[in-house]
Amino acid sequence: MPETILRLALPAPVWGLFDYLPPRNVDAQALRPGQRLMVPFGRGRRCGLLVEVAGGSGVPRGRLKRVEKLLDEKPLLDAAHLEFLRWAAGYYHHPPGEVLMSALPVRLRKGRPLLRRAPNRVCLSEEGAGQLLEGLSRAPRQQELVRWLLDAGGCSGLEALRARFPTAPAILRALREKGIVTLVHEWEPPPTGKPLQPGYALNEEQQAVVESVSAELGRYGAWLLEGVTGSGKTEVYLQLAQRAIAQGRNVLLLVPEISLTPQLVARFRERLQVPTALLHSARSEGEREQDWQLAASGRARLVIGTRSAVLAPMPELGLVLVDEEHDPSYKQQEGFRYSARDLALVRAHRAGCPVLLGSATPSLETLKNAAEGRYRWMKLRRRAGGAVPPAMHLVDVRNQRQEGGLSAPLLAMLEETLSGGQQAMIFLNRRGYAPVLTCYACGWLSDCPRCDARQTYHCRWHKLICHHCGSERPVPKACPACGAEELHPLGQGTEQLEQVLEQRFPRYPLVRIDRDTTSRKGSLQRLLEEVRQGRAGLLVGTQMLAKGHHFPGVSLVAMVDVDGGLFGADFRAAERMAQLIVQVAGRAGRGEHPGRVLLQTRFPDHPLLQTLVREGYPAFAAQALAERKAAELPPYSHQALLRASATRLETAEEFLQQAAEVAATLAGSHIAVWGPVPAPMPRRAGKFRAQLLLQAAERKPLQQLLDGLVPRLQKLPDATRVRWSLDVDPADLY
Ligand code: ADP
Ligand code: ZN
Ligand code: ZN
């Protein structure tokens, strides 16, 4: 009789699955794909996922090891989800073990037992509170706790309660016995919850989208919702989710890293009042796992998450919403380099449900798909609630005197805005004081010792820091090359803007938002709250400021430098810059005052910039698409990028040369193999990097080439001397 063989996905950088013998004392026939198993691996043990139960193995019987332990009673992932993940592993040509395991929360990947759900919230029951307090007059601590809950509006998180009352467990036990409080899970609408709020009466364009999508619930279909900032896209998501949920379907909402804010979550929670799971990297491992379980069990009717949420199992998936579909944070940039936006479409297709991609500035990929009829293309042309779109102006800064990077026209407008009681936002995508420190005497520059880049001057910390590898050193007292006593900052960063503006406008409180001021948990929310309440007149920041935030008091938005995007090394630089400009501009004039947008540039005649400012994003996108088409660049072609790094540049290039030769034998004439070439920044963190670009007009031949190439990469003569990775549909060519 053939012996049962278990085929496992294990987190290892190896192509394929691993064969094991079933554990002793377990009926192998009762094992199901999706269960976790602990197995001996190398010199240690590893947790893996059962993928197939097979009747034999290509590995000789004597070399097969035995599974040590079965970890789960029931599968964590169902067959359909396993198949989806294996498809993704195939498409991105990434080891299936790593792909499958990345769908699990961290604790579960490590082989830990499933967390049991614990209640996390205490609520007063519905009886009259005054009566309760009287009845408790002989139990002062219980009375105190009830009073505290009353002050908190009837409910409180268990953690806050424990922090306030050290003996909370005992007090709560007594109160629960009397039926005065109940313990609930946060996702359960609290028993004394506010009444369901009605949505807005939708305008015609919004209504058309909601009707179009909800008519197709129950089968696959893709929509592009192109809606200018503030046009009420979120309102459309809300009402669509409401309809899907009312039909018993579960909803997945993907949002970019930066826009998953407490305000957004509260908006969905309050409106829908359904069990909601939040999958967000900023949460603790325990919280994430609890919410993951909620999603995986189907009990969460709504899952809101960032990129990796697209990998979470959701059995009753009935609608997928992708907000800001163009956002680069949807692309994973290391390890399993998937695009969550693209996988969202695949998931919806497999689940047989609609998927809606929303954006004010759709990616060129998505616009092409919409134009060719693969997506239904719906538009929201006006801002909801009547606010008018902001006017954009270019400020030519050639031959202009500037103060810390700010031109006279910009300073004048700031003055006018602030003295009129409005808020202004100044945007620069560079943190620190200045991107370079230099010596006027000899031309010395603050080079990073480990990268082909400069170290940034940080004034407050009195340090030079490399933003690519993190290397840092104290600011030298004199020029390290010639000994001259003075060193000078070149260019501006947000820290410098803050200083200049504080000196110039001392009466107006300023808030700076970038990675340096928001590294501590909760600090971003605190700063945003200060702005929202109007306590700060000036708001300085990096692109962290660009997304989603709604500041009704901001009527002026300025971008200090838009030129980087016009001549960036990557062919997507202009697209990114245009999206950023429109997003940033979208922060202006969302309240009752009309907004103004100032863009400082040294190339005011640049055609793409002109088109964007005069005719708007759709015209810009059409022009950029035509350029891509002429140059046969994505989305008019498909790419895969093979990267390699080593201690010497030649080593990385030799490995890629070997790969290029294999690729050439496999590729027909319809695939271009470019390189190897050094990466745009060849040296980074002490390693030398090179790359090989594969490009084809069609997806299929490229996939076929990769199918043949990838298994052979591991065996190339120089494979062990480099670190290599493959990026299918790369979002950046560096
Ligand atoms: P977007 O997501 O497109 O930026 P939002 O959905 O956040 O836009 O809507 C922008 C503002 O307009 C919000 O304050 C929202 O409450 C309001 N709004 C949305 N839809 C309507 C509507 N139909 N009627 C009135 N106000 C609306
Ligand atoms: Zn010098
Ligand atoms: Zn560096």
Side-chain angles (χ1 to χ4, degrees), residues 549-577:
H549 309 300
H550 184 61
F551 304 126
V554 171
S555 68
L556 175 64
V557 169
M559 289 184 79
V560 175
D561 178 13
V562 298
D563 295 341
L566 300 176
F567 303 99
D570 198 289
F571 70 84
R572 284 190 178 83
E575 177 187 356
R576 294 267 162 76
M577 181 52 78

mmCIF file of all heavy atoms in Angstrom, residues 549-577:
data_model
loop_
_atom_site.group_PDB
_atom_site.id
_atom_site.type_symbol
_atom_site.label_atom_id
_atom_site.label_comp_id
_atom_site.label_asym_id
_atom_site.label_seq_id
_atom_site.Cartn_x
_atom_site.Cartn_y
_atom_site.Cartn_z
ATOM 1 N N HIS A 549 -5.941 63.281 4.494
ATOM 2 C CA HIS A 549 -6.358 64.091 5.632
ATOM 3 C C HIS A 549 -7.273 65.229 5.194
ATOM 4 O O HIS A 549 -7.088 65.823 4.152
ATOM 5 C CB HIS A 549 -5.147 64.648 6.366
ATOM 6 C CG HIS A 549 -4.148 63.594 6.694
ATOM 7 N ND1 HIS A 549 -4.451 62.519 7.494
ATOM 8 C CD2 HIS A 549 -2.870 63.421 6.303
ATOM 9 C CE1 HIS A 549 -3.387 61.743 7.595
ATOM 10 N NE2 HIS A 549 -2.430 62.261 6.877
ATOM 11 N N HIS A 550 -8.226 65.495 6.028
ATOM 12 C CA HIS A 550 -9.211 66.511 5.711
ATOM 13 C C HIS A 550 -9.017 67.679 6.667
ATOM 14 O O HIS A 550 -9.324 67.591 7.847
ATOM 15 C CB HIS A 550 -10.605 65.906 5.866
ATOM 16 C CG HIS A 550 -11.707 66.832 5.464
ATOM 17 N ND1 HIS A 550 -11.825 67.324 4.190
ATOM 18 C CD2 HIS A 550 -12.733 67.342 6.169
ATOM 19 C CE1 HIS A 550 -12.889 68.101 4.127
ATOM 20 N NE2 HIS A 550 -13.451 68.133 5.315
ATOM 21 N N PHE A 551 -8.447 68.782 6.154
ATOM 22 C CA PHE A 551 -8.234 69.958 6.989
ATOM 23 C C PHE A 551 -9.048 71.104 6.414
ATOM 24 O O PHE A 551 -8.583 71.795 5.509
ATOM 25 C CB PHE A 551 -6.757 70.366 6.989
ATOM 26 C CG PHE A 551 -5.811 69.295 7.424
ATOM 27 C CD1 PHE A 551 -4.741 68.922 6.625
ATOM 28 C CD2 PHE A 551 -5.971 68.655 8.649
ATOM 29 C CE1 PHE A 551 -3.852 67.943 7.028
ATOM 30 C CE2 PHE A 551 -5.086 67.674 9.056
ATOM 31 C CZ PHE A 551 -4.034 67.314 8.245
ATOM 32 N N PRO A 552 -10.218 71.364 6.948
ATOM 33 C CA PRO A 552 -11.081 72.389 6.339
ATOM 34 C C PRO A 552 -10.463 73.783 6.376
ATOM 35 O O PRO A 552 -10.795 74.616 5.542
ATOM 36 C CB PRO A 552 -12.353 72.347 7.190
ATOM 37 C CG PRO A 552 -12.196 71.241 8.173
ATOM 38 C CD PRO A 552 -10.827 70.691 8.082
ATOM 39 N N GLY A 553 -9.548 74.059 7.312
ATOM 40 C CA GLY A 553 -9.017 75.417 7.432
ATOM 41 C C GLY A 553 -7.893 75.750 6.471
ATOM 42 O O GLY A 553 -7.458 76.891 6.393
ATOM 43 N N VAL A 554 -7.383 74.745 5.737
ATOM 44 C CA VAL A 554 -6.238 75.001 4.865
ATOM 45 C C VAL A 554 -6.706 75.582 3.541
ATOM 46 O O VAL A 554 -7.471 74.963 2.818
ATOM 47 C CB VAL A 554 -5.442 73.702 4.596
ATOM 48 C CG1 VAL A 554 -4.392 73.936 3.519
ATOM 49 C CG2 VAL A 554 -4.791 73.212 5.876
ATOM 50 N N SER A 555 -6.253 76.804 3.232
ATOM 51 C CA SER A 555 -6.651 77.382 1.950
ATOM 52 C C SER A 555 -5.459 77.595 1.022
ATOM 53 O O SER A 555 -5.636 77.863 -0.150
ATOM 54 C CB SER A 555 -7.394 78.701 2.149
ATOM 55 O OG SER A 555 -6.503 79.665 2.651
ATOM 56 N N LEU A 556 -4.241 77.475 1.542
ATOM 57 C CA LEU A 556 -3.062 77.607 0.675
ATOM 58 C C LEU A 556 -2.172 76.373 0.829
ATOM 59 O O LEU A 556 -1.849 75.970 1.937
ATOM 60 C CB LEU A 556 -2.254 78.848 1.049
ATOM 61 C CG LEU A 556 -0.927 79.024 0.275
ATOM 62 C CD1 LEU A 556 -1.168 79.238 -1.197
ATOM 63 C CD2 LEU A 556 -0.107 80.162 0.860
ATOM 64 N N VAL A 557 -1.815 75.788 -0.314
ATOM 65 C CA VAL A 557 -0.878 74.678 -0.311
ATOM 66 C C VAL A 557 0.280 75.053 -1.215
ATOM 67 O O VAL A 557 0.070 75.509 -2.339
ATOM 68 C CB VAL A 557 -1.545 73.384 -0.832
ATOM 69 C CG1 VAL A 557 -0.502 72.318 -1.078
ATOM 70 C CG2 VAL A 557 -2.589 72.883 0.157
ATOM 71 N N ALA A 558 1.507 74.891 -0.706
ATOM 72 C CA ALA A 558 2.668 75.210 -1.531
ATOM 73 C C ALA A 558 3.577 74.001 -1.618
ATOM 74 O O ALA A 558 3.809 73.314 -0.630
ATOM 75 C CB ALA A 558 3.426 76.386 -0.925
ATOM 76 N N MET A 559 4.075 73.751 -2.818
ATOM 77 C CA MET A 559 5.107 72.725 -2.979
ATOM 78 C C MET A 559 6.403 73.443 -3.300
ATOM 79 O O MET A 559 6.506 74.158 -4.290
ATOM 80 C CB MET A 559 4.734 71.759 -4.090
ATOM 81 C CG MET A 559 3.575 70.870 -3.679
ATOM 82 S SD MET A 559 3.200 69.630 -4.930
ATOM 83 C CE MET A 559 4.483 68.426 -4.602
ATOM 84 N N VAL A 560 7.396 73.241 -2.436
ATOM 85 C CA VAL A 560 8.620 74.009 -2.534
ATOM 86 C C VAL A 560 9.438 73.616 -3.762
ATOM 87 O O VAL A 560 10.100 74.434 -4.380
ATOM 88 C CB VAL A 560 9.453 73.824 -1.244
ATOM 89 C CG1 VAL A 560 10.796 74.516 -1.354
ATOM 90 C CG2 VAL A 560 8.663 74.362 -0.051
ATOM 91 N N ASP A 561 9.380 72.342 -4.138
ATOM 92 C CA ASP A 561 10.223 71.878 -5.238
ATOM 93 C C ASP A 561 9.536 70.732 -5.979
ATOM 94 O O ASP A 561 9.388 69.648 -5.442
ATOM 95 C CB ASP A 561 11.564 71.410 -4.654
ATOM 96 C CG ASP A 561 12.480 70.858 -5.718
ATOM 97 O OD1 ASP A 561 12.203 71.053 -6.916
ATOM 98 O OD2 ASP A 561 13.485 70.224 -5.341
ATOM 99 N N VAL A 562 9.093 70.992 -7.192
ATOM 100 C CA VAL A 562 8.453 69.916 -7.962
ATOM 101 C C VAL A 562 9.376 69.386 -9.060
ATOM 102 O O VAL A 562 8.991 68.520 -9.834
ATOM 103 C CB VAL A 562 7.119 70.373 -8.614
ATOM 104 C CG1 VAL A 562 6.120 70.763 -7.558
ATOM 105 C CG2 VAL A 562 7.335 71.491 -9.600
ATOM 106 N N ASP A 563 10.609 69.891 -9.113
ATOM 107 C CA ASP A 563 11.448 69.560 -10.264
ATOM 108 C C ASP A 563 12.023 68.149 -10.233
ATOM 109 O O ASP A 563 12.318 67.581 -11.278
ATOM 110 C CB ASP A 563 12.596 70.579 -10.391
ATOM 111 C CG ASP A 563 12.044 71.964 -10.702
ATOM 112 O OD1 ASP A 563 10.896 72.031 -11.160
ATOM 113 O OD2 ASP A 563 12.760 72.948 -10.468
ATOM 114 N N GLY A 564 12.182 67.615 -9.028
ATOM 115 C CA GLY A 564 12.738 66.266 -8.910
ATOM 116 C C GLY A 564 11.999 65.278 -9.800
ATOM 117 O O GLY A 564 12.608 64.412 -10.425
ATOM 118 N N GLY A 565 10.671 65.430 -9.857
ATOM 119 C CA GLY A 565 9.867 64.474 -10.608
ATOM 120 C C GLY A 565 9.996 64.631 -12.116
ATOM 121 O O GLY A 565 9.724 63.696 -12.858
ATOM 122 N N LEU A 566 10.403 65.787 -12.558
ATOM 123 C CA LEU A 566 10.447 66.003 -14.004
ATOM 124 C C LEU A 566 11.636 65.311 -14.654
ATOM 125 O O LEU A 566 11.610 64.953 -15.813
ATOM 126 C CB LEU A 566 10.511 67.512 -14.304
ATOM 127 C CG LEU A 566 9.324 68.320 -13.782
ATOM 128 C CD1 LEU A 566 9.542 69.794 -14.042
ATOM 129 C CD2 LEU A 566 8.039 67.840 -14.430
ATOM 130 N N PHE A 567 12.698 65.139 -13.870
ATOM 131 C CA PHE A 567 13.905 64.558 -14.448
ATOM 132 C C PHE A 567 14.410 63.382 -13.620
ATOM 133 O O PHE A 567 15.590 63.132 -13.541
ATOM 134 C CB PHE A 567 14.992 65.639 -14.560
ATOM 135 C CG PHE A 567 14.534 66.812 -15.366
ATOM 136 C CD1 PHE A 567 14.068 67.963 -14.738
ATOM 137 C CD2 PHE A 567 14.511 66.742 -16.745
ATOM 138 C CE1 PHE A 567 13.624 69.038 -15.486
ATOM 139 C CE2 PHE A 567 14.057 67.811 -17.489
ATOM 140 C CZ PHE A 567 13.609 68.960 -16.863
ATOM 141 N N GLY A 568 13.504 62.659 -12.972
ATOM 142 C CA GLY A 568 13.899 61.535 -12.128
ATOM 143 C C GLY A 568 14.497 60.408 -12.952
ATOM 144 O O GLY A 568 14.289 60.315 -14.160
ATOM 145 N N ALA A 569 15.255 59.536 -12.273
ATOM 146 C CA ALA A 569 15.917 58.435 -12.958
ATOM 147 C C ALA A 569 14.901 57.406 -13.453
ATOM 148 O O ALA A 569 15.132 56.704 -14.421
ATOM 149 C CB ALA A 569 16.907 57.767 -12.007
ATOM 150 N N ASP A 570 13.750 57.328 -12.798
ATOM 151 C CA ASP A 570 12.777 56.304 -13.132
ATOM 152 C C ASP A 570 11.748 56.845 -14.115
ATOM 153 O O ASP A 570 11.314 57.993 -13.990
ATOM 154 C CB ASP A 570 12.071 55.872 -11.842
ATOM 155 C CG ASP A 570 11.380 54.541 -12.001
ATOM 156 O OD1 ASP A 570 10.357 54.470 -12.706
ATOM 157 O OD2 ASP A 570 11.874 53.570 -11.409
ATOM 158 N N PHE A 571 11.336 55.994 -15.062
ATOM 159 C CA PHE A 571 10.381 56.510 -16.051
ATOM 160 C C PHE A 571 9.022 56.813 -15.421
ATOM 161 O O PHE A 571 8.182 57.467 -16.019
ATOM 162 C CB PHE A 571 10.231 55.537 -17.230
ATOM 163 C CG PHE A 571 9.531 54.249 -16.915
ATOM 164 C CD1 PHE A 571 8.138 54.183 -16.938
ATOM 165 C CD2 PHE A 571 10.254 53.107 -16.588
ATOM 166 C CE1 PHE A 571 7.482 52.996 -16.651
ATOM 167 C CE2 PHE A 571 9.603 51.921 -16.293
ATOM 168 C CZ PHE A 571 8.214 51.862 -16.319
ATOM 169 N N ARG A 572 8.797 56.353 -14.188
ATOM 170 C CA ARG A 572 7.538 56.684 -13.522
ATOM 171 C C ARG A 572 7.618 57.982 -12.710
ATOM 172 O O ARG A 572 6.644 58.370 -12.070
ATOM 173 C CB ARG A 572 7.108 55.549 -12.601
ATOM 174 C CG ARG A 572 6.529 54.346 -13.340
ATOM 175 C CD ARG A 572 5.907 53.364 -12.357
ATOM 176 N NE ARG A 572 5.311 52.241 -13.041
ATOM 177 C CZ ARG A 572 5.986 51.174 -13.457
ATOM 178 N NH1 ARG A 572 7.290 51.103 -13.249
ATOM 179 N NH2 ARG A 572 5.373 50.186 -14.075
ATOM 180 N N ALA A 573 8.776 58.635 -12.692
ATOM 181 C CA ALA A 573 8.954 59.800 -11.821
ATOM 182 C C ALA A 573 7.908 60.878 -12.085
ATOM 183 O O ALA A 573 7.320 61.428 -11.156
ATOM 184 C CB ALA A 573 10.366 60.362 -11.985
ATOM 185 N N ALA A 574 7.646 61.167 -13.360
ATOM 186 C CA ALA A 574 6.697 62.242 -13.675
ATOM 187 C C ALA A 574 5.281 61.866 -13.243
ATOM 188 O O ALA A 574 4.540 62.693 -12.698
ATOM 189 C CB ALA A 574 6.734 62.550 -15.171
ATOM 190 N N GLU A 575 4.916 60.613 -13.464
ATOM 191 C CA GLU A 575 3.587 60.150 -13.033
ATOM 192 C C GLU A 575 3.434 60.318 -11.523
ATOM 193 O O GLU A 575 2.441 60.856 -11.034
ATOM 194 C CB GLU A 575 3.400 58.675 -13.427
ATOM 195 C CG GLU A 575 2.067 58.084 -12.937
ATOM 196 C CD GLU A 575 1.947 56.577 -13.170
ATOM 197 O OE1 GLU A 575 2.860 55.983 -13.786
ATOM 198 O OE2 GLU A 575 0.942 55.993 -12.727
ATOM 199 N N ARG A 576 4.448 59.881 -10.786
ATOM 200 C CA ARG A 576 4.409 59.994 -9.323
ATOM 201 C C ARG A 576 4.290 61.449 -8.889
ATOM 202 O O ARG A 576 3.537 61.783 -7.984
ATOM 203 C CB ARG A 576 5.685 59.409 -8.707
ATOM 204 C CG ARG A 576 5.830 57.943 -8.912
ATOM 205 C CD ARG A 576 5.262 57.157 -7.738
ATOM 206 N NE ARG A 576 5.012 55.779 -8.099
ATOM 207 C CZ ARG A 576 5.956 54.857 -8.221
ATOM 208 N NH1 ARG A 576 7.214 55.166 -7.976
ATOM 209 N NH2 ARG A 576 5.645 53.630 -8.563
ATOM 210 N N MET A 577 5.078 62.303 -9.542
ATOM 211 C CA MET A 577 5.066 63.706 -9.146
ATOM 212 C C MET A 577 3.702 64.328 -9.433
ATOM 213 O O MET A 577 3.161 65.050 -8.610
ATOM 214 C CB MET A 577 6.183 64.466 -9.877
ATOM 215 C CG MET A 577 6.271 65.936 -9.512
ATOM 216 S SD MET A 577 6.370 66.268 -7.725
ATOM 217 C CE MET A 577 8.091 65.896 -7.397
#
